[in-house]
Amino acid sequence: MERLIVLDTETTGIEPSEGHRVIEIGCVEILNRAITDSQYQQYIQPNRNVGDSFRIHGISDNFLKDKPKFEEIAQEFLEYIEGSTLVIHNAPFDLGFLNHELKRLGSDEKIEDKCKIIDSLELSQKQRPGTMHNLDALCRRFDIDSSSRTVHGALLDAQILAQVYLAMTGGQFTLFSDTEQSEDKKNNENNIVRIDASHSQVKVIQANKAELEAHNTYFENV
């Protein structure tokens, strides 16, 4: 049984090479095309101010001051996702930040060395070229309630993206793993589109600055 982990991050800015850091990781598990109650969330003290990014996620410096640093949670996070297939909306952004955090710890290991990657943004663009592909637009397309999403939040966005992804790949977004599924919905699992399933061949291309800015402001422009 393939284990999918829907993942999202919040950060202090859009470019890790400029010193910006991860401040929240949110993960939601999908098994057998059903969202389980297994989730991972961690706020992270970034050792820098959140600055203007506060308007995006609403996470303040004061809130983060007593949270663990990335090196304190890295092992448990990696153990949670190891061997899974990660579903990420605009995967290069989140992978770029997470891999940068690992590099700061002196590790050459990358997230895509541990996990297969599905970029739901790329999947949406392939399904419906020429339309909008941000999370709010996809929620409207698949009639998914995102009213609680007044600001970005890694866990909240992962929870919403899990429902969107199941709708994109089969039209079924059950909240509990023991919910009975119809046979035709199960069969749609074969229609999942992946970025290269070979760990060694997954190539992560860093988004440019304009693309990263668009990632952080997409909900304002729908």
Side-chain angles (χ1 to χ4, degrees):
M1 179 187 302
E2 184 177 35
R3 180 173 183 250
L4 301 179
I5 298 293
V6 183
L7 180 148
D8 189 54
T9 63
E10 295 303 329
T11 65
T12 63
I14 62 174
E15 182 49 68
S17 66
E18 296 177 357
H20 289 294
R21 305 288 302 277
V22 175
I23 59 173
E24 184 191 2
I25 301 172
C27 299
V28 175
E29 181 185 66
I30 298 175
L31 287 177
N32 196 28
R33 292 196 55 78
I35 301 171
T36 78
D37 59 2
S38 176
Q39 299 181 348
Y40 178 88
Q41 181 187 33
Q42 183 62 65
Y43 291 103
I44 300 164
Q45 201 284 103
N47 200 32
R48 61 166 292 152
N49 292 335
V50 300
D52 291 340
S53 69
F54 174 78
R55 67 184 178 83
I56 302 296
H57 46 63
I59 301 172
S60 69
D61 294 323
N62 188 58
F63 177 80
L64 293 172
K65 67 180 181 181
D66 61 348
K67 300 301 183 288
K69 296 180 180 179
F70 185 84
E71 56 262 35
E72 298 176 68
I73 62 92
Q75 189 59 37
E76 67 176 14
F77 165 63
L78 292 175
E79 288 176 356
Y80 183 79
I81 66 170
E82 186 167 12
S84 67
T85 295
L86 298 181
V87 179
I88 309 173
H89 204 68
N90 190 16
F93 179 88
D94 300 272
L95 292 175
F97 266 95
L98 291 170
N99 288 334
H100 185 74
E101 293 289 350
L102 293 176
K103 187 176 181 180
R104 287 175 60 93
L105 299 182
S107 174
D108 293 328
E109 187 174 42
K110 295 184 177 181
I111 299 298
E112 55 269 31
D113 296 331
K114 288 180 168 288
C115 305
K116 301 175 187 178
I117 309 297
I118 300 172
D119 189 335
S120 54
L121 174 59
E122 180 179 309
L123 176 59
S124 180
Q125 290 169 337
K126 288 179 178 178
Q127 287 183 337
R128 297 195 180 187
T131 62
M132 298 189 70
H133 305 285
N134 63 54
L135 195 54
D136 284 334
L138 294 179
C139 285
R140 290 195 298 271
R141 179 183 303 168
F142 296 110
D143 196 25
I144 293 170
D145 182 12
S146 62
S147 58
S148 60
R149 190 173 180 264
T150 56
V151 293
H152 283 230
L155 182 59
L156 174 60
D157 283 4
Q159 291 168 336
I160 293 172
L161 180 58
Q163 297 178 63
V164 167
Y165 175 74
L166 289 174
M168 290 171 68
T169 58
Q172 183 266 336
F173 38 96
T174 306
L175 295 180
F176 302 101
S177 59
D178 60 352
T179 302
E180 183 178 330
Q181 301 177 49
S182 65
E183 212 45 50
D184 59 330
K185 288 177 180 177
K186 288 182 183 178
N187 291 336
N188 278 322
E189 189 171 11
N190 295 326
N191 294 327
I192 293 175
V193 177
R194 292 183 177 81
I195 295 175
D196 194 333
S198 167
H199 294 181
S200 62
Q201 295 179 16
V202 172
K203 182 178 181 181
V204 177
I205 301 173
Q206 296 296 331
N208 61 39
K209 195 164 185 176
E211 291 169 331
L212 293 174
E213 179 65 26
H215 171 85
N216 276 336
T217 59
Y218 66 78
F219 73 99
E220 298 175 353
N221 299 316
V222 296

